[in-house]
Amino acid sequence: MLTAEESVPPKRCNVREPPLLQCAELVLPYLNPSELANVSLTCKPLLKLSRSITLRRASDASRTFETLPIPFLNAVDSHPYAPFFYTRSLVLSSPLPLLRQPWGSSAVSRSAKCRLLRAESVGFVDGAGRAVSGCECEACAGAECPCAGLDGLDDVGRECGPGCRCGPECGNRLTRNGVAVRVKIVRHRTKGWGLHADQLIAKGEFVFEYAGELLTTKEAQRRHQYYDELASQGHFSSALLVVREHLPSGKACLRLNIDATRLGNVARFANHSCDGGNLSTKLVRSSGALFPRLCFFASKDILVDEELTFSYGEIRKRSKWLPCFCNSPSCVGTLPSEDT
């Protein structure tokens, strides 16, 4: 596949009229990498525009959804970025194909981006069909808020959510405002893309949540089988994560199937480490929301340029194991795997 940078010299064409070029600036950000490469072959103005879009894409994986830009850095091969659809939160999966999502043009506003059904919009209701509310305060203050509970000893934290009167600036919405630190996506020779810190991250600091499509177990099993087939052919890595929340009764657990393979956030680039890595996970429930979210915190002080990693698990069931390249002293040599 040709990229905009690798394309052959284009022919001259008459697209210098401002209206037509302005139209191209609006349309090209919606193209996938191969489509953009093909367009770049047509003429010099479109080649120049395609290259600028490629540079903008490489400068921010989040497509400006996040407050801080998240750049791709690649000194290994010719891949300027990894294409995927971006979301800051869990979204309900749909059998319909994903809509195109613009990427790479400052002319496209946030309102032009495709709209997805966020999982948090599915919440608890009472017998009268009214949403179950959380706290009544308009500006929560840490432990004084009844929804607070991130520092508790239990496995699930609690925060303000859709059912609370407070707004986005509430101090008890620590994990609800997207990626909280500067990170960058770096290309590795052995394991592909990896996520690295671009600032000092203190122990205990919130980093990001694992965002993606929320699947049914049946759909998760179907995709897992499909992804395994692609992985056996080489050069494919999925980002399907299965999380289990044990309910207070101890007799049952809630299973979350989060797939960030085609739709997700930067957490999809966090690689496995057999020593547990430098990130710890915690399920966080928000008042009024039906599903908890998987959030990542720094388990130790993380230095600038250090790779962000966590443990994918301990179970290894598959007959065809994938090699692990974490290079930690306790590396087992293969990635964790289990039946979905």
Side-chain angles (χ1 to χ4, degrees):
M1 179 184 70
L2 289 174
T3 65
E5 289 77 11
E6 299 171 320
S7 56
V8 297
K11 301 177 181 178
R12 291 181 177 273
C13 65
N14 188 26
V15 298
R16 296 189 179 182
E17 296 86 348
L20 190 54
L21 193 55
Q22 289 174 4
C23 181
E25 290 175 347
L26 293 175
V27 173
L28 265 60
Y30 286 87
L31 303 184
N32 63 39
S34 69
E35 292 170 340
L36 188 64
N38 290 333
V39 168
S40 71
L41 301 176
T42 57
C43 58
K44 288 185 177 180
L46 291 183
L47 171 63
K48 182 178 179 181
L49 180 57
S50 298
R51 285 177 172 173
S52 66
I53 290 174
T54 298
L55 290 175
R56 291 193 194 104
R57 290 181 175 183
S59 68
D60 187 11
S62 78
R63 309 182 185 221
T64 71
F65 274 105
E66 302 290 355
T67 304
L68 303 171
I70 304 169
F72 287 94
L73 301 176
N74 186 358
V76 174
D77 52 37
S78 59
H79 298 287
Y81 58 88
F84 68 102
F85 292 95
Y86 202 92
T87 178
R88 290 180 59 180
S89 59
L90 289 177
V91 297
L92 300 180
S93 65
S94 170
L96 300 176
L98 291 174
L99 300 175
R100 290 179 181 263
Q101 190 182 54
W103 188 17
S105 174
S106 58
V108 179
S109 65
R110 287 179 180 267
S111 61
K113 296 174 180 176
C114 63
R115 292 172 173 81
L116 302 165
L117 181 58
R118 299 174 63 177
E120 67 179 27
S121 64
V122 181
F124 294 104
V125 295
D126 59 17
R130 295 169 299 196
V132 175
S133 62
C135 63
E136 294 296 323
C137 48
E138 296 184 359
C140 307
E144 298 177 7
C145 175
C147 300
L150 268 182
D151 297 328
L153 298 178
D154 55 345
D155 294 332
V156 181
R158 296 178 298 279
E159 283 190 342
C160 293
C164 300
R165 291 179 58 189
C166 54
E169 302 301 323
C170 170
N172 192 37
R173 293 176 182 253
L174 176 66
T175 69
R176 298 184 59 80
N177 296 312
V179 179
V181 298
R182 289 191 176 276
V183 295
K184 55 190 175 184
I185 305 166
V186 180
R187 186 75 167 174
H188 296 254
R189 291 190 180 278
T190 54
K191 53 188 173 183
W193 297 104
L195 194 61
H196 290 246
D198 208 17
Q199 68 170 69
L200 177 65
I201 306 175
K203 180 180 179 180
E205 189 172 355
F206 169 67
V207 183
F208 44 65
E209 72 168 277
Y210 198 90
E213 294 179 88
L214 194 59
L215 309 179
T216 63
T217 297
K218 182 178 180 180
E219 175 62 13
Q221 292 171 341
R222 186 194 69 80
R223 291 194 188 186
H224 186 226
Q225 183 178 5
Y226 174 66
Y227 292 156
D228 277 353
E229 293 174 359
L230 292 179
S232 65
Q233 302 170 13
H235 305 291
F236 178 82
S237 178
S238 71
L240 175 57
L241 196 64
V242 178
V243 185
R244 293 175 177 85
E245 177 191 3
H246 294 279
L247 301 180
S249 65
K251 298 180 180 180
C253 68
L254 173 66
R255 171 180 166 138
L256 294 175
N257 307 293
I258 308 174
D259 190 5
T261 305
R262 61 174 186 170
L263 173 67
N265 67 346
V266 293
R268 70 194 296 278
F269 294 104
N271 286 314
H272 166 77
S273 181
C274 293
D275 63 2
N278 49 22
L279 297 177
S280 60
T281 59
K282 189 179 186 73
L283 285 172
V284 177
R285 280 195 171 277
S286 299
S287 59
L290 181 58
F291 304 104
R293 295 171 296 111
L294 182 65
C295 296
F296 289 77
F297 297 82
S299 59
K300 60 185 74 173
D301 289 339
I302 302 174
L303 303 178
V304 178
D305 296 329
E306 188 175 345
E307 186 176 6
L308 302 176
T309 58
F310 69 105
S311 173
Y312 289 3
E314 302 294 334
I315 302 174
R316 290 168 170 80
K317 284 188 175 181
R318 298 181 195 170
S319 58
K320 296 181 179 180
W321 289 341
L322 296 176
C324 177
F325 299 104
C326 70
N327 294 324
S328 68
S330 56
C331 182
V332 178
T334 58
L335 290 175
S337 60
E338 62 177 302
D339 297 330
T340 302

